[in-house]
Amino acid sequence: MQKLIITAALTGAEVTREQQPALPVTPQEIAIAAEECAKAGASIVHLHAREADGTPTQDRETYRRIIAAIRERCDVIVQVSTGGAVGMTSAERLAPVTLAPEMATLSMGTVNFGDDVFMNHPADMETFLHAMQQHGVKPEFEIFDTGMITTLNRWLKKGLLQGPQHVDFVLGIPGGMAGTPQALLYMVEQLPPAATWTVAGIGSAQLPLGTLAILLGGHVRVGFEDNVYYRKGELASSNAQLVSRIARISEELNRPVATPAQARAILGLTQS
Ligand code: KMH
Ligand code: ZN
């Protein structure tokens, strides 16, 4: 099996300081959290930007400051969000891709997202893909429900994609596919050949689905974007605490954790 790539989804767009007092919000706080997670075993950080008051933003300059602050502190693969927050325009969402980070997320379809609708028009999705290809950014395809992996396979057939793809199964969003082992097993069966995959289990699904992914040869995403708890009724003290736990479980299961350099090799990234 490949070494385990741990992604730390540090901030997200929806979680508030009221829900999780340790949520990193400013570029400096995000960079400190990234360094702690890298030390704990994360090789990718998935980034969302916020304004000073916590409002989600896709402002290019804010992402630039976050990435520069991370680069000063540690080596880790930077993955920007193009999901942003519900209601943002696609042009807004695409802005950080022009900074040419190593990776960016690309959501593969529209999904109900709690009480909201996370819109991903097919034409916008192709625009995102072309922008990533133009800037040399590796997409991580975000799959919230079954039709979205079908769309990825259709894109492959259409010749829109080259090389092995990297997929993130986001399971347990209210409105998307359930955060269950059965759902994950079904999704893994639909993957294109040679694809790498990770799982982001939402809420209480984070730990069991992460553990299952370790056993199945996938990779794991943890962090406050998806889950603010360490266990039922107990908030996690930091993103790094969640990273440490999954790294520890993986080592116990005889699957060593990847360094950023090893993760780059697994994902076919060339270091910038
Ligand atoms: N905030 C969600 C609406 C991504 O980062 O690519 C979308 C999201 C996905 O977080
Ligand atoms: Zn995100």
Side-chain angles (χ1 to χ4, degrees):
M1 272 190 202
Q2 292 165 338
K3 292 201 169 160
L4 182 79
I5 299 172
I6 302 176
T7 301
L10 303 171
T11 303
E14 291 81 23
V15 179
T16 64
R17 272 267 167 82
E18 287 68 42
Q19 294 165 319
Q20 174 42 273
L23 184 76
V25 168
T26 66
Q28 211 51 35
E29 288 166 355
I30 293 172
I32 291 167
E35 184 182 24
E36 289 169 358
C37 288
K39 282 187 178 148
S43 46
I44 302 178
V45 286
H46 169 71
L47 302 178
H48 283 254
R50 301 285 185 102
E51 291 171 11
D53 68 357
T55 308
T57 177
Q58 288 293 98
D59 176 53
R60 186 180 189 273
E61 177 55 23
T62 310
Y63 272 96
R64 196 197 57 70
R65 290 213 305 274
I66 296 169
I67 295 168
I70 292 173
R71 290 273 166 264
E72 273 178 24
R73 288 180 166 270
C74 62
D75 177 32
V76 68
I77 298 167
V78 164
Q79 179 192 84
V80 300
S81 170
T82 68
V86 166
M88 288 177 171
T89 66
S90 48
E92 240 179 314
R93 285 167 51 183
L94 202 43
V97 169
T98 61
L99 295 166
E102 288 183 278
M103 295 182 80
T105 52
L106 202 173
S107 292
M108 289 304 288
T110 296
V111 63
N112 285 352
F113 202 89
D115 294 331
D116 295 312
V117 181
F118 179 37
M119 281 294 298
N120 290 286
H121 192 285
D124 291 338
M125 287 155 44
E126 289 203 23
T127 303
F128 282 28
L129 177 68
H130 294 142
M132 289 181 202
Q133 289 171 338
Q134 189 190 337
H135 290 282
V137 177
K138 182 168 175 112
E140 177 185 271
F141 297 101
E142 306 301 296
I143 307 287
F144 296 84
D145 213 335
T146 50
M148 299 187 192
I149 189 85
T150 314
T151 301
L152 181 68
N153 283 310
R154 222 173 42 242
W155 276 14
L156 271 164
K157 259 199 186 148
K158 275 170 72 176
L160 294 179
L161 306 170
Q162 288 85 42
Q165 307 309 315
H166 184 61
V167 168
D168 177 24
F169 297 120
V170 186
L171 300 184
I173 295 278
M177 201 153 172
T180 60
Q182 291 83 352
L184 180 59
L185 292 171
Y186 175 80
M187 290 301 212
V188 170
E189 277 175 16
Q190 316 304 314
L191 280 168
T196 50
W197 62 275
T198 190
V199 68
I202 302 300
S204 61
Q206 185 167 89
L207 181 60
L209 291 189
T211 306
L212 182 56
I214 294 168
L215 295 170
L216 293 174
H219 303 281
V220 182
R221 175 169 124 172
V222 294
F224 289 165
E225 174 165 349
D226 305 327
N227 165 45
V228 296
Y229 289 100
Y230 190 75
R231 58 172 71 87
K232 192 173 165 60
E234 181 186 327
L235 286 173
S237 58
S238 65
N239 279 291
Q241 188 191 27
L242 298 170
V243 172
S244 292
R245 176 168 60 180
I246 212 74
R248 200 164 60 238
I249 292 169
S250 196
E251 299 283 348
E252 288 287 346
L253 292 169
N254 211 17
R255 188 153 173 221
V257 167
T259 63
Q262 290 164 339
R264 286 186 180 101
I266 293 167
L267 296 170
L269 295 167
T270 44
Q271 191 163 6
S272 47

Short mmCIF file of all heavy atoms in Angstrom, two decimals, residues 73-115:
data_model
loop_
_atom_site.label_atom_id
_atom_site.label_comp_id
_atom_site.label_asym_id
_atom_site.label_seq_id
_atom_site.Cartn_x
_atom_site.Cartn_y
_atom_site.Cartn_z
N ARG A 73 6.79 28.89 7.32
CA ARG A 73 6.84 28.02 8.50
C ARG A 73 7.17 26.58 8.20
O ARG A 73 7.81 25.91 9.02
CB ARG A 73 5.48 28.05 9.23
CG ARG A 73 5.24 29.35 9.93
CD ARG A 73 3.90 29.32 10.64
NE ARG A 73 3.85 30.44 11.55
CZ ARG A 73 4.25 30.39 12.83
NH1 ARG A 73 4.69 29.28 13.34
NH2 ARG A 73 4.19 31.46 13.58
N CYS A 74 6.67 26.06 7.07
CA CYS A 74 6.83 24.62 6.87
C CYS A 74 6.64 24.22 5.41
O CYS A 74 6.11 25.00 4.60
CB CYS A 74 5.82 23.84 7.72
SG CYS A 74 4.11 24.18 7.31
N ASP A 75 7.05 22.99 5.12
CA ASP A 75 6.81 22.40 3.81
C ASP A 75 5.57 21.53 3.92
O ASP A 75 5.54 20.56 4.70
CB ASP A 75 8.01 21.55 3.38
CG ASP A 75 7.75 20.86 2.05
OD1 ASP A 75 7.03 21.43 1.21
OD2 ASP A 75 8.25 19.72 1.86
N VAL A 76 4.56 21.87 3.15
CA VAL A 76 3.33 21.08 3.12
C VAL A 76 2.67 21.40 1.77
O VAL A 76 2.88 22.49 1.22
CB VAL A 76 2.42 21.45 4.32
CG1 VAL A 76 1.86 22.85 4.24
CG2 VAL A 76 1.31 20.44 4.55
N ILE A 77 1.93 20.44 1.23
CA ILE A 77 1.23 20.70 -0.04
C ILE A 77 0.03 21.60 0.23
O ILE A 77 -0.77 21.31 1.12
CB ILE A 77 0.77 19.38 -0.69
CG1 ILE A 77 1.98 18.49 -1.02
CG2 ILE A 77 -0.08 19.64 -1.92
CD1 ILE A 77 1.61 17.05 -1.37
N VAL A 78 -0.06 22.68 -0.52
CA VAL A 78 -1.17 23.63 -0.34
C VAL A 78 -2.26 23.33 -1.37
O VAL A 78 -2.01 23.27 -2.57
CB VAL A 78 -0.66 25.08 -0.49
CG1 VAL A 78 -1.82 26.03 -0.69
CG2 VAL A 78 0.16 25.47 0.74
N GLN A 79 -3.45 23.14 -0.83
CA GLN A 79 -4.63 22.90 -1.69
C GLN A 79 -5.66 23.98 -1.38
O GLN A 79 -6.16 24.03 -0.25
CB GLN A 79 -5.19 21.52 -1.37
CG GLN A 79 -6.43 21.15 -2.16
CD GLN A 79 -7.09 19.91 -1.57
OE1 GLN A 79 -7.86 20.00 -0.62
NE2 GLN A 79 -6.78 18.76 -2.13
N VAL A 80 -5.96 24.83 -2.35
CA VAL A 80 -6.96 25.88 -2.10
C VAL A 80 -8.35 25.35 -2.42
O VAL A 80 -8.51 24.45 -3.24
CB VAL A 80 -6.68 27.17 -2.92
CG1 VAL A 80 -5.31 27.74 -2.57
CG2 VAL A 80 -6.83 26.93 -4.41
N SER A 81 -9.33 25.93 -1.78
CA SER A 81 -10.72 25.57 -2.07
C SER A 81 -11.21 26.38 -3.26
O SER A 81 -10.94 27.57 -3.36
CB SER A 81 -11.61 25.91 -0.87
OG SER A 81 -12.98 25.79 -1.24
N THR A 82 -11.93 25.71 -4.17
CA THR A 82 -12.73 26.49 -5.14
C THR A 82 -14.21 26.28 -4.84
O THR A 82 -15.05 26.74 -5.61
CB THR A 82 -12.44 26.10 -6.62
OG1 THR A 82 -12.91 24.78 -6.85
CG2 THR A 82 -10.96 26.24 -6.95
N GLY A 83 -14.50 25.59 -3.73
CA GLY A 83 -15.89 25.46 -3.30
C GLY A 83 -16.35 26.75 -2.63
O GLY A 83 -17.49 27.17 -2.77
N GLY A 84 -15.39 27.37 -1.92
CA GLY A 84 -15.72 28.60 -1.21
C GLY A 84 -16.89 28.37 -0.27
O GLY A 84 -16.93 27.37 0.44
N ALA A 85 -17.84 29.28 -0.30
CA ALA A 85 -19.05 29.15 0.52
C ALA A 85 -20.27 29.17 -0.39
O ALA A 85 -20.23 29.74 -1.48
CB ALA A 85 -19.12 30.29 1.53
N VAL A 86 -21.33 28.55 0.09
CA VAL A 86 -22.60 28.54 -0.66
C VAL A 86 -22.99 29.98 -1.02
O VAL A 86 -22.88 30.88 -0.18
CB VAL A 86 -23.70 27.88 0.20
CG1 VAL A 86 -25.08 28.14 -0.37
CG2 VAL A 86 -23.45 26.39 0.33
N GLY A 87 -23.37 30.19 -2.30
CA GLY A 87 -23.84 31.50 -2.72
C GLY A 87 -22.79 32.35 -3.41
O GLY A 87 -23.11 33.36 -4.03
N MET A 88 -21.52 31.95 -3.34
CA MET A 88 -20.49 32.72 -4.05
C MET A 88 -20.59 32.47 -5.56
O MET A 88 -21.00 31.39 -5.98
CB MET A 88 -19.09 32.29 -3.57
CG MET A 88 -18.76 32.75 -2.18
SD MET A 88 -17.12 32.09 -1.70
CE MET A 88 -16.85 32.98 -0.18
N THR A 89 -20.16 33.45 -6.35
CA THR A 89 -20.17 33.25 -7.80
C THR A 89 -19.00 32.34 -8.19
O THR A 89 -18.01 32.23 -7.45
CB THR A 89 -20.02 34.58 -8.55
OG1 THR A 89 -18.69 35.08 -8.28
CG2 THR A 89 -21.08 35.59 -8.14
N SER A 90 -19.10 31.74 -9.37
CA SER A 90 -18.00 30.85 -9.78
C SER A 90 -16.73 31.66 -10.04
O SER A 90 -15.63 31.16 -9.76
CB SER A 90 -18.40 30.00 -10.98
OG SER A 90 -18.97 30.78 -11.96
N ALA A 91 -16.86 32.88 -10.52
CA ALA A 91 -15.66 33.71 -10.76
C ALA A 91 -14.95 33.98 -9.43
O ALA A 91 -13.72 33.88 -9.33
CB ALA A 91 -16.04 35.01 -11.44
N GLU A 92 -15.73 34.32 -8.42
CA GLU A 92 -15.17 34.54 -7.07
C GLU A 92 -14.45 33.28 -6.58
O GLU A 92 -13.31 33.36 -6.10
CB GLU A 92 -16.37 34.73 -6.12
CG GLU A 92 -16.47 36.01 -5.39
CD GLU A 92 -17.75 36.00 -4.51
OE1 GLU A 92 -18.85 35.60 -4.97
OE2 GLU A 92 -17.61 36.40 -3.35
N ARG A 93 -15.09 32.15 -6.74
CA ARG A 93 -14.56 30.90 -6.21
C ARG A 93 -13.24 30.51 -6.88
O ARG A 93 -12.38 29.87 -6.27
CB ARG A 93 -15.60 29.78 -6.40
CG ARG A 93 -16.75 29.86 -5.41
CD ARG A 93 -17.92 28.97 -5.79
NE ARG A 93 -17.54 27.60 -6.07
CZ ARG A 93 -18.39 26.66 -6.47
NH1 ARG A 93 -19.67 26.96 -6.65
NH2 ARG A 93 -17.96 25.44 -6.71
N LEU A 94 -13.10 30.89 -8.13
CA LEU A 94 -11.93 30.48 -8.91
C LEU A 94 -10.68 31.32 -8.60
O LEU A 94 -9.55 30.91 -8.91
CB LEU A 94 -12.28 30.60 -10.41
CG LEU A 94 -11.50 29.81 -11.44
CD1 LEU A 94 -11.24 28.39 -11.01
CD2 LEU A 94 -12.25 29.85 -12.77
N ALA A 95 -10.86 32.47 -7.96
CA ALA A 95 -9.76 33.43 -7.81
C ALA A 95 -8.45 32.84 -7.28
O ALA A 95 -7.37 33.11 -7.84
CB ALA A 95 -10.21 34.60 -6.93
N PRO A 96 -8.45 32.01 -6.22
CA PRO A 96 -7.15 31.54 -5.70
C PRO A 96 -6.39 30.61 -6.64
O PRO A 96 -5.18 30.43 -6.46
CB PRO A 96 -7.53 30.82 -4.39
CG PRO A 96 -8.98 30.55 -4.46
CD PRO A 96 -9.57 31.58 -5.35
N VAL A 97 -7.06 30.06 -7.63
CA VAL A 97 -6.37 29.17 -8.58
C VAL A 97 -5.31 29.95 -9.37
O VAL A 97 -4.28 29.40 -9.76
CB VAL A 97 -7.40 28.49 -9.52
CG1 VAL A 97 -6.72 27.77 -10.67
CG2 VAL A 97 -8.25 27.50 -8.71
N THR A 98 -5.54 31.25 -9.56
CA THR A 98 -4.58 32.05 -10.34
C THR A 98 -3.26 32.25 -9.58
O THR A 98 -2.29 32.74 -10.15
CB THR A 98 -5.18 33.43 -10.71
OG1 THR A 98 -5.48 34.14 -9.49
CG2 THR A 98 -6.46 33.27 -11.52
N LEU A 99 -3.22 31.86 -8.30
CA LEU A 99 -1.95 31.89 -7.55
C LEU A 99 -1.11 30.65 -7.85
O LEU A 99 -0.01 30.52 -7.33
CB LEU A 99 -2.23 31.94 -6.04
CG LEU A 99 -2.93 33.20 -5.52
CD1 LEU A 99 -3.45 32.97 -4.10
CD2 LEU A 99 -1.98 34.38 -5.54
N ALA A 100 -1.64 29.75 -8.66
CA ALA A 100 -0.94 28.51 -9.03
C ALA A 100 -0.46 27.70 -7.82
O ALA A 100 0.72 27.35 -7.72
CB ALA A 100 0.22 28.79 -9.99
N PRO A 101 -1.36 27.40 -6.88
CA PRO A 101 -0.98 26.49 -5.79
C PRO A 101 -0.79 25.08 -6.36
O PRO A 101 -1.15 24.83 -7.51
CB PRO A 101 -2.21 26.53 -4.88
CG PRO A 101 -3.34 26.81 -5.81
CD PRO A 101 -2.79 27.71 -6.88
N GLU A 102 -0.24 24.18 -5.57
CA GLU A 102 -0.03 22.83 -6.10
C GLU A 102 -1.34 22.11 -6.39
O GLU A 102 -1.42 21.34 -7.35
CB GLU A 102 0.79 22.00 -5.10
CG GLU A 102 2.24 22.42 -5.02
CD GLU A 102 3.04 21.54 -4.07
OE1 GLU A 102 3.00 21.79 -2.85
OE2 GLU A 102 3.70 20.61 -4.54
N MET A 103 -2.35 22.36 -5.57
CA MET A 103 -3.63 21.67 -5.75
C MET A 103 -4.81 22.62 -5.49
O MET A 103 -4.65 23.64 -4.81
CB MET A 103 -3.77 20.50 -4.76
CG MET A 103 -2.78 19.39 -4.96
SD MET A 103 -3.07 18.03 -3.78
CE MET A 103 -4.43 17.18 -4.58
N ALA A 104 -5.97 22.23 -6.02
CA ALA A 104 -7.21 22.94 -5.71
C ALA A 104 -8.35 21.92 -5.77
O ALA A 104 -8.26 20.93 -6.50
CB ALA A 104 -7.48 24.06 -6.70
N THR A 105 -9.40 22.19 -5.02
CA THR A 105 -10.56 21.29 -5.08
C THR A 105 -11.44 21.66 -6.27
O THR A 105 -11.46 22.81 -6.71
CB THR A 105 -11.40 21.41 -3.79
OG1 THR A 105 -11.70 22.78 -3.55
CG2 THR A 105 -10.65 20.82 -2.61
N LEU A 106 -12.15 20.66 -6.79
CA LEU A 106 -13.10 20.90 -7.89
C LEU A 106 -14.35 20.05 -7.61
O LEU A 106 -14.29 18.82 -7.70
CB LEU A 106 -12.44 20.52 -9.22
CG LEU A 106 -13.01 21.14 -10.50
CD1 LEU A 106 -12.13 20.80 -11.70
CD2 LEU A 106 -14.44 20.83 -10.78
N SER A 107 -15.42 20.71 -7.23
CA SER A 107 -16.65 19.99 -6.89
C SER A 107 -17.34 19.51 -8.15
O SER A 107 -17.49 20.26 -9.11
CB SER A 107 -17.59 20.89 -6.07
OG SER A 107 -16.99 21.11 -4.82
N MET A 108 -17.78 18.24 -8.12
CA MET A 108 -18.24 17.58 -9.34
C MET A 108 -19.75 17.57 -9.54
O MET A 108 -20.26 16.78 -10.33
CB MET A 108 -17.69 16.14 -9.38
CG MET A 108 -16.20 16.12 -9.63
SD MET A 108 -15.70 16.99 -11.15
CE MET A 108 -16.31 15.86 -12.40
N GLY A 109 -20.45 18.46 -8.85
CA GLY A 109 -21.89 18.55 -9.10
C GLY A 109 -22.59 19.33 -8.00
O GLY A 109 -22.00 19.66 -6.97
N THR A 110 -23.86 19.59 -8.28
CA THR A 110 -24.70 20.34 -7.33
C THR A 110 -25.24 19.38 -6.27
O THR A 110 -25.58 18.24 -6.57
CB THR A 110 -25.84 21.01 -8.11
OG1 THR A 110 -25.26 21.96 -9.00
CG2 THR A 110 -26.82 21.71 -7.19
N VAL A 111 -25.32 19.89 -5.04
CA VAL A 111 -25.82 19.03 -3.96
C VAL A 111 -26.55 19.91 -2.94
O VAL A 111 -26.17 21.07 -2.72
CB VAL A 111 -24.63 18.27 -3.29
CG1 VAL A 111 -23.63 19.21 -2.63
CG2 VAL A 111 -25.11 17.22 -2.30
N ASN A 112 -27.61 19.37 -2.35
CA ASN A 112 -28.20 20.06 -1.21
C ASN A 112 -27.18 20.03 -0.08
O ASN A 112 -26.54 19.00 0.16
CB ASN A 112 -29.50 19.40 -0.77
CG ASN A 112 -30.64 19.73 -1.73
OD1 ASN A 112 -30.48 20.56 -2.63
ND2 ASN A 112 -31.77 19.09 -1.54
N PHE A 113 -27.06 21.16 0.62
CA PHE A 113 -25.98 21.31 1.61
C PHE A 113 -26.64 21.84 2.87
O PHE A 113 -26.76 23.04 3.07
CB PHE A 113 -24.97 22.30 1.03
CG PHE A 113 -23.58 22.21 1.60
CD1 PHE A 113 -22.63 21.36 1.05
CD2 PHE A 113 -23.21 22.99 2.69
CE1 PHE A 113 -21.35 21.28 1.56
CE2 PHE A 113 -21.93 22.91 3.21
CZ PHE A 113 -21.00 22.06 2.65
N GLY A 114 -27.14 20.91 3.72
CA GLY A 114 -27.95 21.35 4.84
C GLY A 114 -29.20 22.03 4.30
O GLY A 114 -29.91 21.47 3.46
N ASP A 115 -29.43 23.25 4.74
CA ASP A 115 -30.62 23.98 4.28
C ASP A 115 -30.34 24.76 3.00
O ASP A 115 -31.20 25.50 2.51
CB ASP A 115 -31.08 24.96 5.38
CG ASP A 115 -31.57 24.21 6.62
OD1 ASP A 115 -32.07 23.07 6.46
OD2 ASP A 115 -31.41 24.75 7.74
#
